[in-house]
Every structure is written in C-alpha cells, then in structure tokens.
C-alpha cells in the first residue's frame, strides 16, 4: 500500500477489506486478530478511504466472527469508512447514524430498477457534504 500511495499520491488510494466474509471454504479462525492490526497499520498511510464489507452470509456457525464488521473494524480506522453488504435504504441510514461509516455502498440487488430524481439529488448532496 505504501508503494501505491507513493506512486499515485496522497489521499488517492483506498482499500476494500472483507474481514467477516467467508467464501469457497476459506475461513478465518480469528478475524479480529488478523484485521485489527492491519487497519491500525493502514492508519499510518494517507488513504482516501477504507471500504468494509459486513458478512453477507449468516454468521451463526462462526462465533469467532464479529456480527457487525463495520462497528468492529470501522471504529478503528482513521479514514473515511464505506460500509457494504446487506444494506437497504433503512438499514443503510441506520448505519450512517451510528457515525462510523460515512458512505453506504449498495449492491445492484438492493437498488430499485428506477431511482427517482429526489433520491439522486439526496445521494449527490450526501457525497458533496462528505467531500467538503
């Protein structure tokens, strides 16, 4: 990451992490022990954002996985936090109100086929506010 920041420039590089996502039988015995030090190390770099994914599949069989990756890992980050995975309009707004994530990234399955102009204006004003 340091080389990317050096090559591209300060505040122009971000990273996406999926600390509570298991896939293709790849599991983590202790996501907090692995990702907390990583995020703390990333705090020393001038990143533009850290994009965190919550677990997309049920975590009932993974008691060692935090139930809310955004709270567990986003609260450590000094960078702008983008939250992703499993949010709809209501849960996305609730996540933003917690104050950790500043942006919610919605997957295409969460978006209606047509987005009204009011929603587009709201999204643009939210982005403008964050970028100030």
């Amino acid at each position: 990451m340091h080389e990317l920041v050096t090559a591209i420039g300060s505040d122009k590089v971000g990273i996406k992490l999926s600390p509570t996502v298991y896939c293709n039988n790849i599991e983590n015995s202790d996501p907090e022990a692995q990702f907390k030090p990583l995020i703390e190390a990333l705090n020393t770099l001038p990143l533009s954002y850290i994009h965190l994914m919550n677990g997309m599949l049920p975590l009932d069989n993974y008691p060692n996985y935090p139930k809310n990756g955004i709270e567990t890992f986003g609260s450590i980050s000094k960078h702008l936090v983008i939250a992703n995975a499993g949010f709809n309009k209501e849960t996305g707004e609730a996540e933003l109100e917690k104050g950790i994530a500043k942006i919610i990234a919605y997957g295409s399955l969460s978006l209606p086929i047509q987005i009204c102009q009011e929603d587009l204006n709201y999204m643009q004003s939210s982005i403008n506010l964050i970028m100030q």
Side-chain angles (χ1 to χ4, degrees), residues 35 37 40 57 82-83 86 114 116:
F35 284 92
E40 289 167 352
L57 302 171
I82 301 172
Q114 294 180 333
C116 69

Side-chain angles (χ1 to χ4, degrees), residues 115-129:
I115 299 176
C116 69
Q117 186 63 44
E118 181 181 322
D119 288 339
L120 290 173
N121 291 341
Y122 174 76
M123 286 187 270
Q124 184 62 52
S125 65
S126 296
I127 291 169
N128 291 342
L129 248 172

Side-chain angles (χ1 to χ4, degrees), residues 65-108:
Y65 279 46
K67 298 302 180 218
N68 187 321
I70 308 309
E71 289 177 7
T72 302
F73 300 106
S75 61
I76 301 167
S77 180
K78 294 180 179 178
H79 300 99
L80 179 136
V81 173
I82 301 172
N84 182 241
F87 293 104
N88 59 33
K89 183 175 181 177
E90 292 77 27
T91 59
E93 290 289 330
E95 190 67 44
L96 290 173
E97 288 178 16
K98 293 177 186 176
I100 297 171
K102 302 300 181 198
I103 297 174
I104 302 294
Y106 295 96
S108 60

Side-chain angles (χ1 to χ4, degrees), residues 33-48:
Q34 179 182 9
F35 284 92
K36 282 185 175 183
L38 172 61
I39 294 169
E40 289 167 352
L42 291 171
N43 282 339
T44 65
L45 298 173
L47 301 178
S48 59

